[in-house]
Amino acid sequence: MVTGAAGRDTPSPATSSEVRRVLVTGAAGRVGKEVVARLAKAGDFVVRAATRGDGAYARSLGAHEVVQWDLEDASTWGPAMEGVTHLFSSTQDKYIAQHMDFAKFCGEHHAGSLQHIVRVCTFGAETNTAAYDDATHVSRSGAAIPLMLQHYWWSEECFLRAGFGDRLTSLRGNFFMNHLLKNELGRIREEGAFASPLGDTKNSFVACNDMGEAAAVVLAEGAARHGDKAYDICGAAPQSMAEVAATLTEALATPLAREVVPDVAGKAVRYEPQDAAQFEADFGATRAEFFEYLRNGFYSRSSPCFYNLTGHRPLSYYEYLTTEGAAGDTGLAELFSDQGALYTKGQDLFKGLQDVKR
């Protein structure tokens, strides 16, 4: 069931002979919230937020409509897609099988009405804009590309197979800033430390706000300009985990930290190298093998794609931590919130995913 929202200052979409309605999946997530807020403020779309909750947060961001949508419940897909002309697609890694089914559903039922799809994924296994061999690891002899990385590619490919090739834009982001710290927040609060198996390797982690801004720009400018395109979205500069710790320490010393995260304000944070075998024991083989690509330099580079889309460079980590996004919160607030807290030590979220077939 679709519900509207009232009592906000959000502008109504511009009157036209054809209403442009965008369904934003993951609307309460770190990227989705930025897409909702930016598109609602611009006023060019009817913004429909897809959620499994009551939608109050999405409405506070300016969503014109809220709809129940659950990848694990196909009965929600039809009502959510009714009248939709544009789709922002962002889903958790563990739902790759359901996501591919949803893409097939879109091709079977909305091929004539869906004008543009923007998909969030990552780079490194694609075979449409590159020629990666899924059986060939980039740095380890005799190994395949990590399963998670292959699944990110499948999350694009399923839309191509569903017939949306000329209407698909892929935003291939690097690992999100703060993402690798989420399962270490307890230690950061209590001990001022976090562990990671990345060592001294530098990676150009990307701000979720930049991913959201890129998506909003691409959706506004449309498939005529951005269909059948893929953009690698990275951070402004690569950082090692020790440098991440230093930047976080710097941000926690600001007056902003005393305002938004007073319990950790002023804390000095240090990085402690973690044994790769222990990381695998904590989070499972599938996630651990993906982290090899964060240890071998594959995700170290920066990219001009964000600049080419928006006209300005992406955020540095310090800027992300201390700057409000369109949704109204800073990276510091996001870090110490429940947003993106997907992993728990001792739980393998990807167990059984090796059995998923295209």
Side-chain angles (χ1 to χ4, degrees):
M1 180 173 134
V2 179
T3 58
R8 297 184 314 273
D9 295 329
T10 305
S12 298
T15 301
S16 68
S17 58
E18 181 185 1
V19 173
R20 296 203 301 172
R21 176 176 281 103
V22 59
L23 178 71
V24 179
T25 67
R30 290 171 290 176
V31 178
K33 67 181 182 181
E34 289 291 305
V35 177
V36 169
R38 286 181 176 277
L39 293 182
K41 183 177 181 179
D44 296 325
F45 288 89
V46 173
V47 179
R48 178 179 292 176
T51 179
R52 288 185 291 184
D54 63 9
Y57 179 59
R59 290 188 184 92
S60 75
L61 298 175
H64 304 102
E65 300 172 349
V66 173
V67 62
Q68 290 293 310
W69 182 82
D70 188 340
L71 266 183
E72 295 186 285
D73 183 0
S75 71
T76 65
W77 301 351
M81 287 295 297
E82 184 177 352
V84 167
T85 58
H86 294 67
L87 173 65
F88 172 78
S89 174
S90 176
T91 51
Q92 290 185 33
D93 313 330
K94 64 180 180 179
Y95 296 125
I96 181 60
Q98 296 89 341
H99 168 73
M100 290 190 294
D101 286 342
F102 177 67
K104 183 178 179 182
F105 167 86
C106 289
E108 292 173 347
H109 299 279
H110 298 278
S113 56
L114 199 50
Q115 300 172 14
H116 194 189
I117 299 170
V118 175
R119 172 65 189 172
V120 171
C121 50
T122 194
F123 50 90
E126 61 274 8
T127 57
N128 65 334
T129 59
Y132 289 107
D133 177 2
D134 59 13
T136 304
H137 194 282
V138 72
S139 61
R140 184 155 52 93
S141 178
I145 290 176
L147 184 63
M148 281 181 66
L149 192 48
Q150 294 184 51
H151 285 177
Y152 281 123
W153 160 235
W154 295 4
S155 76
E156 290 183 44
E157 184 186 43
C158 59
F159 283 120
L160 300 178
R161 292 185 173 188
F164 295 107
D166 61 338
R167 291 169 279 172
L168 176 66
T169 306
S170 301
L171 296 181
R172 296 171 176 164
N174 207 322
F175 259 58
F176 295 163
M177 293 174 179
N178 288 341
H179 186 68
L180 303 188
L181 304 183
K182 284 291 186 174
N183 47 263
E184 293 287 303
L185 293 182
R187 287 202 63 204
I188 292 173
R189 283 190 165 101
E190 295 169 11
E191 305 173 34
F194 67 86
S196 164
L198 301 192
D200 295 328
T201 305
K202 296 188 178 187
N203 294 279
S204 58
F205 303 113
V206 66
C208 301
N209 294 358
D210 286 342
M211 293 292 292
E213 181 178 355
V217 167
V218 166
L219 283 163
E221 293 180 348
R225 181 167 182 173
H226 298 290
D228 195 23
K229 296 288 191 300
Y231 303 106
D232 293 351
I233 310 297
C234 304
Q239 284 190 304
S240 68
M241 297 310 289
E243 290 170 335
V244 166
T247 300
L248 179 55
T249 297
E250 183 182 4
L252 288 174
T254 62
L256 172 70
R258 294 195 293 272
E259 176 185 344
V260 300
V261 285
D263 60 320
V264 288
K267 188 175 288 291
V269 180
R270 68 184 185 278
Y271 164 63
E272 296 179 352
Q274 183 180 23
D275 179 70
Q278 183 58 52
F279 182 83
E280 181 169 344
D282 288 340
F283 297 105
T286 300
R287 192 171 189 230
E289 69 173 2
F290 194 10
F291 270 51
E292 276 196 66
Y293 271 50
L294 291 168
R295 298 203 312 271
N296 62 22
F298 189 87
Y299 288 102
S300 294
R301 68 179 178 86
S302 293
S303 163
C305 291
F306 181 81
Y307 180 91
N308 292 340
L309 288 171
T310 67
H312 61 89
R313 68 161 175 80
L315 294 169
S316 69
Y317 186 41
Y318 182 82
E319 290 166 342
Y320 174 61
L321 289 172
T322 58
T323 304
E324 284 191 359
D329 53 2
T330 63
L332 272 177
E334 178 266 305
L335 172 59
F336 291 98
S337 74
D338 291 335
Q339 294 179 29
L342 306 178
Y343 304 101
T344 303
K345 287 183 179 179
Q347 296 181 11
D348 184 353
L349 293 184
F350 308 106
K351 189 176 182 179
L353 286 190
Q354 67 274 9
D355 299 326
V356 175
K357 306 300 181 186
R358 286 153 122 157

